Amino acid sequence: MEGLSAPFDVANSMQALQLTKFGDPRDSVRLVSPGAPQPVGRELLIDVHAAPVHPSDIHLIRGFYGLQPELPIDLGADGVGTVVQTAADTDRELIGRRVVLIPTYTHGTWAGKTVADKRSTVVVDEEADLMQLAMLGVTPITAQLLLTKYEELKPGDWIAQTGANSSVGQHIVQLARLGQVHTVNLVRREAAAAEALAAGGDRAIVVDDDLPKRLQDALGANELALVLDSVGGPAIAELAHHVRYGGKIVTYGALGGERTEIEVRRDLIYRDLSHHGFWMNNWLQRAPRAEIESTYRAILALVSRGELKARIDQTFPLSRYKEALARAERYERAGKVVFRPD
């Protein structure tokens, strides 16, 4: 059966960004113009409105991500768009609905149009901020899982995080504040410290040689229930000294490129601390479908009400992909880089 479509043309040529080899984004990514893909089975054809660039996307392009797909592949893990065509009669009610794409790495979102399995989408509120919805697939979900998967936080608890001015870091601050959990936010620039405080953080510390004293002054007699790390390096060992007995340290990134070392006797053994690694793809592959759906619905409600948001640095059309990817790799930016294919 031919796909059912909305009353506008989907046969026009489209643009998409593809990865042809692993390496420098300037040399390994290309803009192609295939025809509009056709949905089959329970697939949906989606007109993509906005799709963010995450550090994981850059890692995939450069060849040191947890996935090593066969090339070429269409790029872009998540985003937001409108369903314009379906293959199944039973899905026809979705035509014209706005959906968020879940990052299953089975579709590319840096494209004018993409085909995705129905189970890789979540119908969303069309009144919600489009740019915040574009990030819903990865960023706020990551923050929510980091805060709930490893430790049962209670009002009044203290946590610490590195890379606090990142988009995930901003969402961690906001979600923690909603739960009355206090945050100590480590950053690498004074301007980033001000951003963390403006987002609702309780303390902000610029990482330097005086970190032990700064942490002591920030925490006083309080202990940390949880440390969330996206940077790595020696700061984590110092944070570990302030984690309460049985507390958790969770690493979900290594943006600093340095080895993370925690004192074995003082922290891991004598105070029963544990160090975990988090990769969202593992959760998507292993969690029950009901858990995935309920987590997305809970975060969607907060985004729709404007209670959860992250800064957008700059938007780019697909044709300016080299500029966009170079911008995304810069540490000193004011938020997320987003493609606007339309």
Side-chain angles (χ1 to χ4, degrees), residues 294-311:
S294 65
T295 302
Y296 271 94
R297 291 296 174 195
I299 293 299
L300 173 61
L302 294 174
V303 171
S304 297
R305 294 197 299 266
E307 296 183 50
L308 202 57
K309 62 183 68 175
R311 296 186 305 277

Side-chain angles (χ1 to χ4, degrees), residues 17-20 25-31 61 75 321 325:
L17 291 174
Q18 281 189 344
L19 180 64
T20 60
R26 293 172 295 181
D27 304 321
S28 57
V29 177
R30 68 179 180 181
L31 184 65
I61 291 169
L75 287 167
Y321 68 93
L325 296 178

Side-chain angles (χ1 to χ4, degrees), residues 19 22 60-61 63 65-75 105:
L19 180 64
F22 297 114
L60 175 62
I61 291 169
Y65 193 49
L67 297 173
Q68 293 285 316
E70 197 172 313
L71 303 181
I73 61 164
D74 294 333
L75 287 167
Y105 294 95

Side-chain angles (χ1 to χ4, degrees), residues 23 62 87 145 342:
R62 289 194 173 272
L145 292 170
D342 57 358

Side-chain angles (χ1 to χ4, degrees), residues 164-222:
N165 59 315
S166 69
S167 296
V168 172
Q170 295 169 48
H171 283 124
I172 287 171
V173 167
Q174 294 167 34
L175 287 168
R177 194 169 185 83
L178 288 172
Q180 300 178 52
V181 171
H182 304 291
T183 58
V184 177
N185 301 278
L186 273 59
V187 294
R188 290 183 278 188
R189 296 175 291 117
E190 290 290 350
E195 292 169 2
L197 293 174
D202 293 278
R203 306 283 190 274
I205 297 174
V206 177
V207 177
D208 57 18
D209 293 338
D210 200 25
L211 181 58
K213 183 178 185 306
R214 288 173 177 258
L215 279 173
Q216 187 59 58
D217 291 344
L219 284 166
N222 296 299

Side-chain angles (χ1 to χ4, degrees), residues 316-335:
F316 293 87
L318 296 175
S319 59
R320 292 171 58 194
Y321 68 93
K322 291 187 178 181
E323 184 181 352
L325 296 178
R327 180 77 182 173
E329 286 198 280
R330 289 182 55 186
Y331 182 75
E332 294 185 5
R333 24 179 189 84

Side-chain angles (χ1 to χ4, degrees), residues 236-307:
I236 306 309
E238 197 60 46
L239 283 168
H241 299 335
H242 295 272
V243 178
R244 70 190 181 191
Y245 180 87
K248 310 293 193 302
I249 299 167
V250 183
T251 294
Y252 66 100
L255 297 177
E258 296 182 81
R259 183 186 298 273
T260 297
E261 296 182 354
I262 300 172
E263 290 189 29
V264 174
R265 289 188 177 87
R266 174 178 174 178
D267 294 320
L268 293 182
I269 295 177
Y270 297 150
R271 293 193 301 111
D272 198 26
L273 304 190
S274 54
H275 189 186
H276 305 261
F278 172 81
W279 185 29
M280 185 176 170
N281 193 56
N282 285 333
W283 177 73
L284 287 171
Q285 294 295 325
R286 292 169 171 79
R289 180 67 186 181
E291 177 183 331
I292 293 173
E293 290 181 353
S294 65
T295 302
Y296 271 94
R297 291 296 174 195
I299 293 299
L300 173 61
L302 294 174
V303 171
S304 297
R305 294 197 299 266
E307 296 183 50

